[in-house]
Amino acid sequence: MDDLMVLTEEEVRYFLALLSWEPSGEDDEDEDEDDDIQEKSRMPVVPAGQFMFLVLGAKGCGKTSILERFCHGSSAKEVEDDESLDSDEQERAYRHSMKIEDQTYIFNALELPSQHLSNEERLKQAVRITEAAVIVYDVRSRASFGLASEIHNRVNNLVGGERMYGLVLLASNSDCEDEEREVSWAEGNKLARSFNIQCTFAETSAKTGENIDEMFTQLGKEALKLRWLNRQRREQIEQISIDTHQCSIELSPLKRVARWRSWARPWFQRRAAERKTSAPY
């Protein structure tokens, strides 16, 4: 008996209460919800789709800083310290997840160095594998502003009439001092409105993050819309091709001649009747 654990009367009542306790339905639901939340947090998010964007602009215009800010959320000081990256002309690829209307999409961006702009085949390949382009210029550099217009012309010629292509014109370093600015907001907006490809315009700052997330989200929405329009366009072209093929099968050479005669006979008959009435007696 000495080895047995002796419980006081209060402890006995406590353990009996524990043994007789049954959880209520509400407690079960709360526990189930907690389990579901934990389970969902452990499950990987399956993206609804991916975007392929092209980022172009003059050397040192701020392309890299804008992408670093959007994809990595760099702070103002980090972006300022990394501005030297923009002068290091290298081809870079960026990947970032973004949400559009509660759906997760993967953002893929290809930053093309300015020296590749003169390489027609390289630029053509980049446009072919992407569905939209972001053209960047620096508000402190009129030269980069002029190059933005030239870039649009090249992209527009490569896209042609084959498909609808998205376009955004971004002005970087909007937070600069007034005396540093060489290109006004009105000039940038006017340039975007003059483009043959429908273009959205905004001034941005990689240091403050102004308009960066908003513009890329807007570009994603525009890309989804263009996908739908391009799909509709392809379906229409395919239907026209099918109808044309069926028509060519139905109208064999002999049938074409017969149909031509049926169309032309009334005209010849009318001409013959006119000759008879106009013939001198």
Side-chain angles (χ1 to χ4, degrees), residues 224-258:
L224 291 174
K225 178 181 177 181
L226 293 178
R227 285 181 186 180
W228 183 83
L229 292 173
N230 283 320
R231 183 167 61 250
Q232 294 290 105
R233 187 176 182 180
R234 286 194 302 269
E235 290 175 356
Q236 291 177 357
I237 294 174
E238 290 173 0
Q239 187 60 47
I240 292 173
S241 177
I242 292 173
D243 293 343
T244 304
H245 180 66
Q246 289 178 344
C247 183
S248 64
I249 293 175
E250 293 173 358
L251 294 180
S252 62
L254 292 177
K255 288 184 178 180
R256 291 196 189 97
V257 172

Side-chain angles (χ1 to χ4, degrees), residues 71-85:
C71 295
H72 301 145
S74 301
S75 66
K77 187 177 187 308
E78 289 171 334
V79 172
E80 186 176 4
D81 293 341
D82 286 344
E83 278 192 339
S84 58
L85 289 172

